[in-house]
Amino acid sequence: MAEHHQICIIGSGPAGFTAALYASRARLNVVVFEGHQPGGQLTITTEVENYPGFEHGIMGPEMMDVFRKQAHRFGATSIYESVVSVDLSKRPFTLKTDRNKEFTADSVIISTGAAAKLLGAKGEQEYMGYGVSACATCDGFFFKNQHVYVVGGGDTAMEEANYLTRFASKVTIIHRREEFRASKIMLERAKKNEKIEFVLNTTIDEYLGEILESGAKKLHSLRILNTKNNETSVVPADGVFVAIGHKPNTDLFKDVLIMDETGYIQTIGKTSYTNIDGVFACGDAQDSVYRQAITAAGSGCMAAIDAERWLELQH
Ligand code: NDP
């Protein structure tokens, strides 16, 4: 028989564990499906300095371990499996995992997060966290007085480039064509910024770096490709911020939950309610704007409170 829980939480980032903390403290029977990346996106970052309460910062993986332990302390449990299918058409809801186990739930909280889109160029994975990043808010601070590149021509790229000028000595926006998706105002702001320069019709072919004496890796340059004349060249670079968009991890709920065109789950008003009664969404799976650990955690708290109150009404 399928194992039953009052609340099944899918996803184990700050949103999922905050929901688990609140739900377990409300004495609800709650389980977190940790998925293929237990702890979520923060486990692939290095130091987190902007989460309030950690005066001296904390490493991303360590922070998620604290989140997990805090939720477990009040009775939430973790299942280290990925949910591969859901049936939200009738209650109790049914979830199946990659180990072919079945679970049922009175209520489901979706906190599956999002993933930054990457270029897939050679060396990208190798230098991720060692010069290559997908989050200026998280890592910009580490590039004081350095020359960094921002890849992309949308609002995120413009915003990240502007933000990075607080730290970097020079920011080069590298974009694959001449037209921009970015809104006029954001583009103008970037163009007016003296620290920002544009390299157009160009993509990154390869990330190049070295292994330091300490054993750490460090990016030092890029092989770039001019898409007009197909010429390549090598340019020095201290850092690269890939800002070509995010993809929410919501394929599981396609055609079931209402989403925007990118796949972000639409929640109702200022709540975590989705279009299905008893199914709530929080964190980056429903947030294309803020995408911060602290906002994800806040929305996880909202989802747990919404689920708790909704469950109360079912009696
Ligand atoms: P967008 O989809 O708007 O832009 C992505 C950019 O990345 C495009 O310029 C695209 O190029 C480029 N790109 C995509 N794939 C590749 C690739 N493989 N190689 C090279 N370049 C690539 O995403 P954003 O994240 O910028 O924005 C998402 C949404 O969030 C938008 O609606 C935006 O307005 C909004 N937003 C709003 C902000 C604000 O108002 N403050 C801030 C940030 C985002 P191409 O144009 O050639 O396809």
Side-chain angles (χ1 to χ4, degrees), residues 117-120 151-160 174-177 179-183 186 189 202-204 243-246 261-262 264 288-289 291:
K117 286 198 227 159
L118 296 175
L119 296 171
V151 191
D155 280 339
T156 302
M158 300 309 131
E159 193 170 72
E160 302 237 311
I174 181 167
H175 180 37
R176 64 182 173 186
R177 56 191 184 118
E179 298 76 29
F180 291 87
R181 261 176 225 279
S183 53
M186 304 273 283
R189 200 173 296 151
T202 306
T203 57
I204 294 177
I244 60 170
H246 282 75
E261 66 280 0
T262 317
Y264 286 98
S288 63
V289 180
R291 299 195 309 252

Side-chain angles (χ1 to χ4, degrees), residues 62-101:
E62 192 187 337
M63 178 160 133
M64 289 324 299
D65 205 37
V66 175
F67 266 70
R68 179 182 293 109
K69 284 180 178 147
Q70 193 176 356
H72 285 185
R73 192 179 138 210
F74 296 100
T77 53
S78 286
I79 292 179
Y80 294 91
E81 293 176 30
S82 293
V83 174
V84 291
S85 70
V86 289
D87 181 358
L88 305 178
S89 64
K90 56 182 185 308
R91 297 207 293 260
F93 304 120
T94 311
L95 295 78
K96 272 199 188 124
T97 71
D98 52 354
R99 296 216 186 125
N100 217 13
K101 281 196 228 147

